[in-house]
Amino acid sequence: MLENNREEEILKKHLTKEMDSIKVPKGLKEDLWIQVKPVRKNKRIILPYIATLACLTVLVALGLSGFPFNSEPTPSDTQDKNIQSIEAVLNNNLTGPDDELKQILEGEGELEALGQYERNLYKEYFADDTSYQEYISSYGSVLWVEPIRNDYKLEVKNIKYEKTDSKEIIYNFSIELQYQKKGSESSEVATLNGQANLNEEHKIEDMLIRVEDFMRSLSD
């Protein structure tokens, strides 16, 4: 009996040490101990040791993501969501033109089809209808006039971001934009700069892309 008690105590200390290294909600550790309550068989104590370690492994692997503690987003999480919105719009608007856009601009009833095309690409990333309309009136399909007219294909290769010190949520960005004329074996890379202003829901309220000089250069 004394030897069994000693064995149980050693195993319990080891498991306690492993569980204490993981931050879990109050009461969870007690529930786990209930699940691994030792049973006696043939006068020896048998702890479901493997099952307990498996449980601990699952907790570590999942990062305890399913529990309600520490659920507030970190600054890096918020920044990533802001950048995701900006990046989606820039990639959608500066990589192409795709075949769908070419067909719309060459076909009949283009205004209705073009409006739906733009909504599918951009609208979900903007704070409201006003911010969305302001964007597509300056950018959106407007940006594709010169590339299509002069047979250029564009592709965003890289985007760098820098959050400003403003009290508002404002990011400066720099775009490496590759462009290649149809029939040419070589391509070139231009650098474009801009700025985006977002709200607390990670939606764009205003965006500026300094693209005028580059677009003019395509027709030179």
Side-chain angles (χ1 to χ4, degrees):
M1 178 68 70
L2 185 60
E3 181 180 353
N4 288 339
N5 289 338
R6 188 180 298 112
E7 181 182 358
E8 178 182 353
E9 187 64 28
I10 291 172
L11 288 173
K12 186 171 181 179
K13 283 182 178 180
H14 179 74
L15 292 174
T16 300
K17 181 179 179 181
E18 294 296 327
M19 293 179 72
D20 286 342
S21 67
I22 304 173
K23 294 181 180 181
V24 297
K26 184 178 180 181
L28 179 57
K29 292 178 182 179
E30 289 78 3
D31 291 341
L32 287 174
W33 277 118
I34 292 174
Q35 298 299 320
V36 298
K37 182 178 179 181
V39 296
R40 299 178 182 277
K41 184 177 181 181
N42 297 330
K43 298 183 179 180
R44 294 186 64 187
I45 294 178
I46 302 174
L47 269 173
Y49 193 33
I50 296 177
T52 305
L53 291 181
C55 180
L56 292 172
T57 302
V58 170
L59 288 174
V60 173
L62 293 178
L64 299 177
S65 59
F67 298 111
F69 65 94
N70 195 29
S71 59
E72 290 297 320
T74 64
S76 60
D77 292 336
T78 300
Q79 179 168 309
D80 287 345
K81 290 180 180 179
N82 290 329
I83 288 176
Q84 286 172 13
S85 294
I86 302 170
E87 192 161 283
V89 171
L90 294 177
N91 276 314
N92 288 344
N93 207 166
L94 291 169
T95 295
D98 59 25
D99 291 338
E100 182 180 359
L101 179 59
K102 290 180 180 179
Q103 290 173 4
I104 290 173
L105 295 180
E106 293 171 358
E108 297 180 0
E110 65 178 59
L111 289 180
E112 181 179 349
L114 188 60
Q116 186 60 51
Y117 175 86
E118 290 181 319
R119 283 192 293 274
N120 292 341
L121 286 180
Y122 311 116
K123 195 172 190 305
E124 65 177 292
Y125 303 107
F126 286 86
D128 50 39
D129 286 339
T130 299
S131 57
Y132 166 69
Q133 291 295 337
E134 287 178 353
Y135 179 81
I136 62 171
S137 66
S138 298
Y139 308 107
S141 297
V142 175
L143 288 186
W144 291 112
V145 173
E146 290 300 325
I148 291 176
R149 179 183 295 164
N150 295 283
D151 290 324
Y152 275 95
K153 185 170 185 177
L154 313 181
E155 182 179 357
V156 174
K157 303 302 291 186
N158 187 42
I159 308 174
K160 296 180 180 179
Y161 302 90
E162 181 182 8
K163 191 175 186 300
T164 69
D165 294 330
S166 172
K167 293 181 180 179
E168 298 181 26
I169 306 173
I170 300 176
Y171 286 80
N172 292 322
F173 54 82
S174 176
I175 310 164
E176 291 183 12
L177 184 64
Q178 179 178 290
Y179 59 104
Q180 184 172 4
K181 191 173 181 66
K182 184 178 180 180
S184 174
E185 296 181 357
S186 62
S187 62
E188 298 182 66
V189 176
T191 300
L192 309 180
N193 298 306
Q195 190 175 81
N197 195 339
L198 299 94
N199 62 18
E200 296 292 341
E201 285 72 43
H202 322 296
K203 302 293 185 179
I204 299 169
E205 294 182 332
D206 190 26
M207 181 181 281
L208 167 69
I209 309 174
R210 299 181 181 93
V211 71
E212 294 84 1
D213 290 343
F214 169 74
M215 290 300 174
R216 279 195 295 267
S217 72
L218 298 182
S219 58
D220 292 343

